[in-house]
Every structure is written in C-alpha cells, then in structure tokens.
Amino acid sequence: MGKFRSKLKRHNKGKTWSKGESAISNPEQMKHRLKAKSRFFQPNLNLAAESGSAKGLTMEAVHKHEQRLAYNTETTTVNDVAGSLKSFTFEDDDGMSGSGTATQTGTFKTFQTFASNYSSCSNVSFKKLLTGFRASSDLHKEMLAILSALTEIIRERGGSESSTEYFLLLISQIEAATEERDIIAGIALLSMGIKSVPAPVLRKRFDSTAATLQQLLQRFIESSNQSVIRYLIGCLSVLLRAQDYATWTYSSTFQYFDALLSFSIHSRPKIRKAAHHAVVSIIHGSCFMLPPTPVENDANAEGVQKVQQPQASKIKHHPASGRVTKFCLAQFKPEVLANAQTTVLHTLTLLKDCLGGFRTEDIRSVCEHLLSIMTAANVLVRTNCFQALHALFLTRSANLNATLCAKLLAAIHEYRPDRSDVRQTLAWITVLKEGHMHLATLQLDLCMQALPRIFDVFTADLWLSDRSELVVGVSNCIKELLQDCVSRACTTQELADKYRMSVTKIIGALHKVLNAPFGEISKYVILIFSIVFEACGKHFGGELMSSLTTIGKRYESQTALRLQIEHTIISAIKSFGPELVLQALPLNDANGNVCLERSWLLPLMREGANGASLQFFKEHVVPLALNSQANWRKFSVEEKNNVKAHIYELLSCQLWGLFPGFCRHPRDPEYLRKLAPTLGDVLENNPEFRAAVYDGLMELLDDSQSTECHAAIGQYARNFLPRLFNIYTQKPTSTYEADQRKRVLDVIRQYIARAPAEVQAQLFENAQGLLAASAVASFEYDAYFDINAAIVRVQKCRGIETYFEKYMAPVLRNDKSKLVSRDEQKLKKQQRKTYELLRELMTSDQASCQKFTRKNSIMLQQILLEAFSTTCSVCQASRLHCLKSLLDCRTNLTFNDQLVMKAIPEAVLNYKEFSTRKEQIAEQLIKLIVNLYQEAGKINEFVDILTAGFTGDESLITNTILAFRAVLQQQGQHLTVSTLEFVLQQVSVFLVQKSRHQAEAAVAFLITFIKVMPIPLVANHLETIMRSLSAMTKDTKRYCRIQIGYFLKKLCKRFTTEELARFVPGDDEVTHRRLKKIRKQMRRDTRKKQNEEAQAESSDEELVGDLEQKSYTIDDILADSDSDLPEDMETEDGVATTKLAMSKSTSKSKQSRSTYIREDVDEIVDLADLKSIGNVLTSGSASAAPSKQSKLKPQLINGGFKTADDGRLIISDKALRGQGKNYDDNSDSDGVESSADSGNEPGGVGNPKRGMEEDSSDEEVLKQDPSTKRKRKASDALSMVSGKTGASTRKGIHRSLGGKSSDAMSVKSGGGGFSKAAGTEYSTKKAKGDMKQRGKLDPYAYIPLTRNTLNKRKRAMNSRKFKSVVRGAGTDGTRKGGTACRSGGRVGKSYK
C-alpha cells in the first residue's frame, strides 16, 4: 500500500489509497504537495495559513498600513508615535495580550469594538455593554439600539452625555415603552447607569422613580426572567441609598424598603441574593451612614453636604433597622421553625450581614430570639445563629454596647455544646473569642472580669481533649485573647495593678495545664506560655516564675519539644530580663561553679537579652566566666584532662558571648566605667574572647542606642581605640584571625565617629606619623593607611585636604615619590585603596566631606582625567564613582562639558559584564549623561557619539550595544524613528556574528526594544528582527537559548505566533518548533486562567471578616454543615449542592451527614431544656460510637454448639453436611443473621464443614473468574434467605444473580466471602446438561415469584413460562444422570 509521508511531520499517518487504485489516480487531497510547491514563495511551512484561505484586502490590514506610514521617520520621535496610542506605556507589562484581541495593546482596536460601530456613547457607565457585547443576545441588541437612540437625542440637544441625562431619558423610555422587551432592555441600561448618577438628582426624582420601579416589580414578580427582578432590586437599592435621613421619616420610603425585604426570602437563589445585597447596602452604605466627603463639585451638593456633616457624625444606626428586625423576628415563629426551616436559614443569612447596623434595642431583641431558637434540634439553625453572632462581634459595632455584650457572652456560655462535638465546640469558642475581643475594645474592666471564666473552660476541659483539631482551635483562641485582651491590661504598671487579680487567675489556670501530664497539648501549652511571657512578663514576673521553672526543668537535648521550649525561654528572657530568668534557672550551683546541665541557657540568653543590666553582667556573669577560664587552664596544663578542659573552654566562650546581649539597649550605660577595665584586659590578654567584645562594642555604637549610651562609650575612646589599632596592625596567622581583623576595622570605623573631636584629632595626628614611618606598600603601611582612612572621614575639610595632598594625590598621579610603590602589583593595591578612599570621601554624607568635594572639584577633575591612562583595571569601579560624584556636585553642568565628554568613553569601556559593580555604576553614569543631552535636545548627537564604538574590537562593540540598551531604556521615547532604525540595523548585523558576547548583548537590546517601543514600530521591524534571529549561528543560538526563549514569549504576547512565523524561513525548524511550543503554552495558560476565573465567579463561599489564617473562622469550622440540609429543603445553589452530594455519595460521607442525639438509659431527653443542647451532636463526633456498636455481634454460648453435661461439644453429622439448625429455621431473625455471616465467621454454624475445609479450597477460589471475586455485602447475605436477586434474560439454573430488580431465590456459592454466577458449579464438559455434585443441592429450575405474576393483565404471558420450562426439561438433558427435578422446594436428601 502506498503512502504520502511529510518530511516535516514524520510521526503522522499519511494518506492511503484504496486497494488496487495505487496506479490509477492520485489522492484528492494534495496538501503536502501544495506546501512543497510553495516553498519558494511561502517561507513559513508550519504555521502559515492554508493556501486555500481568503487573502483579500481587509479593513484591519488597511488600518495597520495607515498606522505604520502615518509618521515621518526623520522628524517624528517615538513619543509622537506613542501619543496617538492612549493605552501605550513605557513600562513593561507581562500581562500583554495578543494583537488579535480587543484589550489594551496599543493598536486601533483599543478604541473600537463591535458595538462601537452602532453606538458612539462615551459614558463610562455603559462600558460593560460596549466591551462585552454579544451579537447572539437579543437583550444586548435591544440595549444597544436604545443606547444609540438616547445618545443621538442627547447630542441633538447639545448635551454632554452625563449620567444624569441618560438617567432621565431612560426613565422616560421605560415609562413610555409598551413592549416587554423594550422595558427589560431599558431596565438593564438603567441598572448600569444609575450608580453614577449624582445623589441630589436621585433625591429630586425619588418619588416618581421609586413608584415606577415598584410598579415594574409588581408586573414582573411572576415572570420567569430573573434578571429583570434583579435589575429592579439593584436600581431601587441605589435609589434608597442616596436618600437623606429626613426622607426615611416618610411611610412611603419604608414601603419601598419592605418590598426589598420581601424578596430576601425568595425561593430563587439569585433574586434572594440580590435582595440580601440590596438590604445590607442600604443599612450600611446609605449616604448619611458613610463619612462625609470633604469636597463636592456641585454647589448645591456642597450645601447639602454641609448640612448633613454634623448629623452624619451622630448617626450610628439606620432608621430602617427596626423594619428589618420586625421582618426577621416574624420568621422565627414556632410554626415557621417547624414547617419552613429554609426561610429561617435565609433570614439568619440576612441578619449575619446587617445586624451590626441595628439599634441597640433591636440588637437585644434579635439576640434574644437567636438564643431561643438555638435550642432547636436542627443543628444547621444553631450553626447559622453562631454565624450571625460571630458577624455581630466581628463588625466591632458601637451599637453593641459593653453591658449588652457582657450579658450576651454570659448567655452564650450556657449554650456550650458537648466536647465530643468538635465542629460545634470550635464554633462556640470562636464566637466567644470574638465577643471578648470586642468587649475589650469597649470596656476593658468587663472583659477582664469575664476572661477567667472562659480560660477555666479552655484549660480544665477543652484543652484536654483527644481531638487534635479541637486542641489547635483552643490554642489559637487562647493566643488571640492573650494578645488582644490580656496584653492591654499589662501595658502600664497602673493597669497591671488594677487587673492583677484577673491576670493572676488566668496565669494560674494555664499553669495547672502545665503541671498536668503531657500529651497532645504539650507543644501548644509551651508555645502559649511564650505568648504569656510576652504579654504579661514585664509586670507579672513573680507570678510567672514557677511556670518558667517548670518549663526549664522539662528541657532535654533529645526531646521533641526542645525547639518549643527554647522559643518560650527566649520570650521570657526578652520580657523578664536575664536577671529573673537566671534567678528561676540559676547557672551556678551551691559551690559557685557553673552547672553544666544548664549550659543550654547560654545561647538563648545571648539571643534574647534586651534591656539588661551591665552591673548584673559584671557581678554575676564575669565571675562565672573567670572561674570557667581558671578551670580550663587548670585541666589543660596541670591535670592534662583534655575533655574537661574543652568543656570549660566552651563554657568560658559562651559566658563571654553573653556580653553582646547585655549591650543591647542596657538599662545602666553609666556602669560602663566599671566594666571598661575588664574589657580592656580581655582585648589585650585573651584573643579567644575578643569576638564577643567586638560584637558588644558594635551593639553599644549602633544608631538605635540612646544618646546616653553613645556618650558613655565615647568617653572611653582614648582607652579602647589604641588597643584596637594595635590589634589591627598585627599580622594574622590564620583565616579566623583575618576575619577578626576585618571585624576590628569595622569597630574602629564605628567607634571613631562616636569619639570626641579632640580625641579624633589626636588619634589622626598619631596615625599619620605611624604611616609616614612605615615602609611603602608593606603590611604595616597598608594597616596604618586603613586606620587613617577610617579617621580622615570624620576630620574637618582642612585636614582632609592636607591628607589628600600628602598621601593620595601622588598615588593617583603615579608620581615618582617615596610614597608611591615601584612594584607593579603593590602599586595596583595602593591605587585601589586610594581610589576607594576617594570614593568614600566624595560620596559621604558628612558635611566636611561634601565641602571638600565642592571646594576641590576642579583639582579632582584634573587629577582624574590625567590619571585615566595610568589607572589599573581594578580601580575602574571606584574611579567611575568619583566621576559620577563630580558630575552630581556640579550645578551648571552642560552636555558639552569636558568632564562629560571624557566620561562617555570611560563609561562605555567599563560597561562590560552583567551584574557587576562596574556595569551598575557605568549604567548609572550613562543614564546621567543621556539626561543631560536630552535636556539640551541633543539626544541624537549622543547616539552618534556612541555609534563610534561599533568600529572597535569585540569587547568595545559588546559594551556599545549594552550602552545603547541603557539609552533606549532611559530616553528611548525621544529618539527619532530614523535613528532608532539605524541602531536596530547595526545591532541586527552583530546579532548574526560568531561572537557569543555580541550576540548576547544584541538579544538583550532586542528584549528592551520590544518592551519599551510602541507596537506599530515593533511591527514595522518585525521581519528584520525575526530573520536576524533565524540567521544566528548554531553556537550563539544555543548559547543564548534562554534569552531568545524569553524574547519570543514577549513577542508572542504582543503579536500572534502566525504573524511571527510568517517572517521565519522555512528551513529554520528550531524557531518554528519553539513558536509552536509557545503557542501551546499560551493557550494552556489562557484556559487555566479562564477556569480559575470561572471557579472564582461560581464560588459562593463568603468568609466571615478578616480573621487570621491560623484562626478558625465560622465558615471554616462549619463548612460541612451545609450538607446537613434535609432533602426537602432548598439550598441556595441547588445544582452545585446536587453535584457535591453526588460526588461524595459514599457510605462514610452519608454517616458523617447524620445528626445524633445522645440519650441516657434512665432519663428522657428534653429538647426544650437549655442543658440538652449538648446532647445534640453533629456528624463526625458521635459516629464513632455507633460504628463500634455495630461491630459487636451477639456471642453465642460455646460458639452455638450443643454441650453435654460433662462439657463435651455435641456436633452432629447433619451440621457437618450443611443441614444445621439455622438452615432449617428461616423464620428466626437470629438464624437470618447467622446465615448471612456463615460464609465469613469462623464461629458460625451455618456451614461448619465449609469452615473446616477453608484451607483446602484456597486454590480453588484463586482459580475462579476474577469478576466473581468480590466481597459479600449485606444485601448478598440477605438474598440467600429472602430470595432477592437481579433480573436476567436467562432462566433456571443459568439465571444471573447480579441484578437488583428480580426476586428469584439465589444459591449459595462455594467460595467463602465470594459469589459467582449461579449454575456454573453444575456445568460439565462430559455431558450436555448439568451434573450433580457431592455435598450440594440438586440442580433444578423454577419460576421466580414476583409482583408481576399477580398482575391479571399479564396472567397469559406468565403462564407461558411454565410451558417453556417443562419443554426445556424434557429436551435439553437436565434429566440425564439423575432424578427428575421438582419444581418447588429444596431437595430433601443430600447426595453422599
């Protein structure tokens, strides 16, 4: 068979010929031949359009052509081109869409849509219709027609197309319309535009507009179109929100509001949600409920605002709150609770959102009714009541005063669910938590009085639960109560003394749990105490000492709670201070030696110490450190015990390591005068402890320290700095000492700035003398030079000039002087240090350094320009910094200044590699110079100067391309089009060269080009760009593959892959393949984004407030409660609920949706009693108990066997043959259960012989058909006795037992726990019919007794079944080899 195979797609199946026609004719489809013929004319073989597609002149092509040729390349700048595109921006946008869409892409499509051809409306209120217009929608067509007509009317009358004009015309159109579709379209347009209508207009036209809307509501109330009712509800909501406070005193206003309320319990979910939103927005968003706006454009509106401003500050509740209260309480009547619980749930949802805007009296009455209906047996009603109360507390409404809040919290305590009901318990504690937090904001003393009660419940009962989710929820509640309530009572000493009793009770309750045996809550208890230490530790140190001691005793290095204990101890150290912590957990024993078991405290002390006392460090820690040091010397020198010596060495280092922690904001910085001698001695004689002293000095010198601390440390500069100078001038012998030497220089830099002026001058003079006395380029010279560099930064301008002339200028000019090294390597090092010092001086914020730079700018410029040829490469970064500083300090700098002209080539030469210091400062310097040229209007001349770099070597060309990239990014909008085209052509030439660096720089330039340039300009050069990319060498294309991939993705976001592939040669398969992958990935991302948006829109879950992620919200806790709806109740989204129920229709989920009532054997549960609320349990809490009980089966005495008087078991032969007692007595229910379980239970008596032979039949079971190996269900076991099996087309022993609609009696299979098709065990290969088998019933045929048999109309049809069975019994050989079967009953005698 012949095949056509495409060389481009080798894995696809080609076109085949029919048999015998391979030599007669060619196939009809010649797609590949046509593609091969067009190779010379169509470069794109993969993504190009089909040859048969229409290629006429379209309006889109004309628009593109006009837009590309609409400017003069010589005079028009990029900014002029972008000016015609309102959506153009020079900022990069990764979310750019393709040019084929109608989003903001910078093309003409930005301003035109399909609807724009029919309506020229410029009002932004109707933008949604113009952008989202669907030609297939009749409603959209009617709306567009009305909008076009209204726009023409407004323009004919000379209007401004304001929202007021559209509003008045739409009202007139709706009132005058006769056809229903015109009215609906007008209402839809009104719902769009009414939101932007000024409030005074809506107040002026309130009566007529509201009456019209109410009439329309009455007209469409029975309509099947839900959208119309929703639009009307939205319009009426906006209208009522705009009315002032006085309007709400009229009865007509409340009539319109009552109309909205009636829809809040509507049966249709969308209408009900619209009404909910309308009522809530009116209660909370009316104009007098919102804060007044300071500025109004209209004079009349401003006058109204002035009148309403003093009134708005007093209004705390909406006047319609009484109406909502009356309406909601009417839904809580007993008859409604009994018959229409769905209505109650909808009402609770409404209350949840608007309860915070009610009056205090209304809130009291609503809460009383909520508490009364919470005793109902319906758990869903109770959970929604919890949601409403939680939302009330979360709003922090001032209408809920402190007294009412405290009473409400006390009442909620009485509705505590049982601890085994986890979800209800979590909801209960979350409501109480929010209530106490709200009460703390209102009146702290009432909150502190109520807190011990809830903490007792948490710690004594709920925290000891074995359910991990309950433990976590309680821990989060305790954490938030401590942080938001208890911490407020401990902010000052006065408040701490006032609430000391309540806080002490809370600490005591938590301490009891700490003393309890640890279990699941151990981790949470320890972490909670870290919050307690932070909140109360400052003023309750004595009360928390016992808890801290207990936690410290539980520390073990290998315990799982080590991290939690360390975190808690650090919190205690930060709050108490090291003194109290060491008092509770002492480091020394009775003899004064360090307790090794407490050495784990030392690192924690260093990290957590803050605001400690230097006196405590001197009197308690330093003696321990000296003692450990003495023991270290003792065991290492005298007793030669290396193990103990090493231990005490570590202890000494850790004890001295506490010094930085004690220096962190010390309480007594004046005590430094007694500690300074000890520190000086350590710096001189103990090198192993110097690191801790360095860190401590840096802490004392930090900017965050107080002025007293800086003054105290500055007094001892004369003592510390010489010691630090001596340490720095010592040559290091190891890498550790080298690192510490750098640390010393940092300390010197910080310390010299805090020293007094006379000390600075004296040290500077001494350091210069030491520098002059040392040999040039030696180690001592470099060390003294660094010290002088640290000191000279804080000197006066005269001192800086003297030092510069004597020690820096000769090195910069490379003079033949004693201060300049003759060795080339040493000279490079000397120049690098000098340039770095000059850069620090010129870029410093010190006033003396800035004065030095301004005063000597001409001299510095001359030295820097003359030293260009003698400067080594390692100094270029600092040199460029100096040049930039000179440019910044010049006030009258021009683009043709000598310094600017000299800085351009130097900046380009050093613009070498990506992400280096040189490249960054060179880029900043080039951008600074570009701005100078742009201010003078000479940007194109700067481009001409840079163009000279294209004639240099490979490195200069690379730097020039990168410099052009910086120019394009900084001032690309001011370049002319011709200049831009010239630069792009030059870069395209270097893109196809063999140099990797040039290609990389060119790709970087192209990426910047497509980012910042308008789309028409990029499209004009798209062919040049794509052909240059295809012409790259294989080596450079592979080297730049990541950058090219990013570049192609950017292009595909602005253009389509088909447009790009049109300019790619056909032989460039790599680019075609990449474009295909990008197209697939973009489509995949688009679909993913659309799915996410669809899921977000379809999601109806609304979180209650802004709770923290760690906290349990009401909706999170009660997420599963929505599935507790009865079948006759209607959910808000019936389809989604049905799908959810279908996806979770497993036996386990069905059990979890149950509600249990816990009963006592001796008492009757009274559901009307308030205490019985804990007996109503939701799913997941009581499901474990029934499952355990269901597994318990009645145990028969002696396994069901008879026993003799002497205790022997009597097992008859009849039982061994399967003719036991349970098979004979089918009427007994116990027999039914034992028969059902006889196949699996070893102790059952239904088939004891089968149980004895179970081991021998394992191989037979494994050889059975896999389809028959299924576990026996309860329905299968029941069918053995009741005869329930499935319907089948076969009859007799060949019937199928897999169905569920037949009532035929089944036959028990031989495999224990497995079932197979009935009749297969009687089949044989020796004969045509069935064969009897040993130990089994005889095969027989029977007529199943079903309900259809009793039907008189089907009597004739059923009688024919008997004839067919009799006829089959005589012909198909069922009588061969045995007795004729009987048509009813079992065989009385089994075959032996």
Side-chain angles (χ1 to χ4, degrees), residues 276-473:
H276 280 193
H277 176 73
V279 173
V280 173
S281 61
I282 291 172
I283 294 296
H284 294 291
S286 295
C287 61
F288 51 84
M289 296 291 292
L290 300 176
T293 55
V295 179
E296 288 288 340
N297 295 329
D298 193 3
N300 296 330
E302 186 175 2
V304 174
Q305 186 67 26
K306 288 181 180 179
V307 174
Q308 291 296 329
Q309 184 171 355
Q311 196 175 11
S313 60
K314 299 179 181 178
I315 297 175
K316 301 299 182 182
H317 58 82
H318 200 278
S321 63
R323 290 278 179 161
V324 183
T325 304
K326 184 178 179 181
F327 174 82
C328 294
L329 297 185
Q331 313 304 322
F332 295 156
K333 294 180 179 179
E335 58 270 17
V336 181
L337 283 171
N339 302 322
Q341 293 184 354
T342 306
T343 304
V344 177
L345 296 178
H346 297 332
T347 308
L348 291 173
T349 305
L350 177 62
L351 282 175
K352 180 179 66 175
D353 296 328
C354 61
L355 189 55
F358 289 3
R359 295 181 304 170
T360 304
E361 295 78 9
D362 296 333
I363 292 177
R364 179 184 290 106
S365 59
V366 169
C367 292
E368 289 175 356
H369 281 75
L370 289 179
L371 295 175
S372 64
I373 65 175
M374 282 176 64
T375 57
N378 192 344
V379 178
L380 196 57
V381 173
R382 192 196 314 170
T383 55
N384 278 268
C385 292
F386 277 139
Q387 285 182 336
L389 294 173
H390 180 269
L392 174 62
F393 292 135
L394 198 63
T395 55
R396 303 290 188 264
S397 175
N399 299 327
L400 180 63
N401 54 38
T403 305
L404 180 58
C405 183
K407 292 181 179 179
L408 183 58
L409 289 175
I412 295 175
H413 268 284
E414 303 299 329
Y415 289 83
R416 174 187 170 187
D418 189 79
R419 189 177 75 176
S420 60
D421 193 351
V422 178
R423 287 207 307 269
Q424 292 289 317
T425 305
L426 288 175
W428 180 73
I429 64 175
T430 306
V431 171
L432 286 177
K433 177 202 70 177
E434 291 295 337
H436 284 85
M437 290 168 61
H438 177 55
L439 185 57
T441 59
L442 296 175
Q443 195 169 344
L444 187 59
D445 54 351
L446 289 179
C447 178
M448 295 307 298
Q449 292 176 12
L451 275 181
R453 179 181 181 184
I454 188 174
F455 270 90
D456 288 338
V457 175
F458 287 163
T459 56
D461 186 11
L462 299 182
W463 220 356
L464 304 178
S465 173
D466 55 350
R467 302 291 294 271
S468 60
E469 56 267 32
L470 184 57
V471 173
V472 173

Side-chain angles (χ1 to χ4, degrees), residues 14 80 93 190 276 334 345 501-502 512 833 877 1149 1160 1212 1279:
D80 298 334
D93 183 15
L190 181 63
H276 280 193
L345 296 178
M501 184 179 296
S502 299
K512 290 179 182 179
K833 286 181 174 291
S1149 63
D1160 193 359
S1212 61
S1279 66

Side-chain angles (χ1 to χ4, degrees), residues 223-231 266 268-271:
S223 175
S224 60
N225 191 350
Q226 302 183 31
S227 301
V228 188
I229 304 178
R230 289 167 52 204
Y231 295 152
H266 200 273
R268 295 180 179 178
K270 292 184 178 180
I271 297 176

Side-chain angles (χ1 to χ4, degrees), residues 589-607:
D589 53 12
N591 299 327
N593 297 323
V594 179
C595 184
L596 296 179
E597 290 77 9
R598 295 282 173 81
S599 60
W600 55 270
L601 268 176
L602 298 176
L604 307 182
M605 295 281 290
R606 173 169 180 167
E607 182 179 353

Side-chain angles (χ1 to χ4, degrees), residues 854-1051:
R854 290 193 304 268
K855 186 178 179 181
N856 303 277
S857 59
I858 299 177
M859 178 192 65
L860 292 173
Q861 175 181 341
Q862 183 181 0
I863 292 176
L864 288 175
L865 295 180
E866 291 177 356
F868 174 69
S869 58
T870 59
T871 304
C872 59
S873 59
V874 295
C875 308
Q876 290 300 329
S878 299
R879 179 180 169 82
L880 289 177
H881 273 288
C882 297
L883 289 175
K884 186 176 181 298
S885 299
L886 283 178
L887 292 175
D888 291 335
C889 71
R890 296 279 292 274
T891 56
N892 53 352
L893 188 65
T894 59
F895 72 96
N896 54 0
D897 191 273
Q898 182 184 6
L899 181 61
V900 175
M901 301 302 294
K902 293 288 186 181
I904 292 176
E906 192 166 354
V908 174
L909 285 173
N910 291 281
Y911 206 128
K912 287 186 177 179
E913 299 176 356
F914 297 96
S915 301
T916 61
R917 269 179 58 185
K918 283 185 203 173
E919 187 265 339
Q920 292 175 0
I921 184 58
E923 183 178 1
Q924 296 175 12
L925 190 58
I926 288 177
K927 289 181 178 180
L928 177 62
I929 297 173
V930 168
N931 291 334
L932 292 176
Y933 273 88
Q934 172 55 33
E935 291 174 358
K938 303 291 184 180
I939 185 67
N940 291 320
E941 294 183 6
F942 180 74
V943 173
D944 296 337
I945 296 174
L946 286 183
T947 308
F950 287 140
T951 59
D953 56 357
E954 177 184 346
S955 176
L956 183 58
I957 292 173
T958 303
N959 297 343
T960 305
I961 296 174
L962 294 175
F964 269 117
R965 171 173 166 262
V967 173
L968 187 67
Q969 192 171 6
Q970 184 71 16
Q971 296 292 342
Q973 65 269 32
H974 299 292
L975 295 174
T976 60
V977 177
S978 58
T979 303
L980 193 63
E981 290 179 354
F982 170 75
V983 175
L984 184 61
Q985 290 174 1
Q986 296 298 321
V987 172
S988 301
V989 171
F990 295 109
L991 181 63
V992 298
Q993 301 299 323
K994 295 182 179 180
S995 173
R996 288 184 171 184
H997 297 294
Q998 290 181 8
E1000 187 179 14
V1003 173
F1005 175 85
L1006 291 178
I1007 292 174
T1008 306
F1009 177 79
I1010 65 171
K1011 279 184 177 182
V1012 302
M1013 289 295 107
I1015 286 182
L1017 285 180
V1018 179
N1020 221 15
H1021 304 90
L1022 197 58
E1023 183 176 2
T1024 304
I1025 294 173
M1026 296 306 298
R1027 290 191 179 276
S1028 300
L1029 281 178
S1030 298
M1032 291 177 65
T1033 61
K1034 292 184 178 180
D1035 179 65
T1036 56
K1037 189 180 292 187
R1038 184 173 58 252
Y1039 181 75
C1040 305
R1041 61 187 181 276
I1042 298 177
Q1043 293 88 341
I1044 293 175
Y1046 178 77
F1047 173 71
L1048 291 176
K1049 288 180 181 178
K1050 282 289 182 184
L1051 276 180

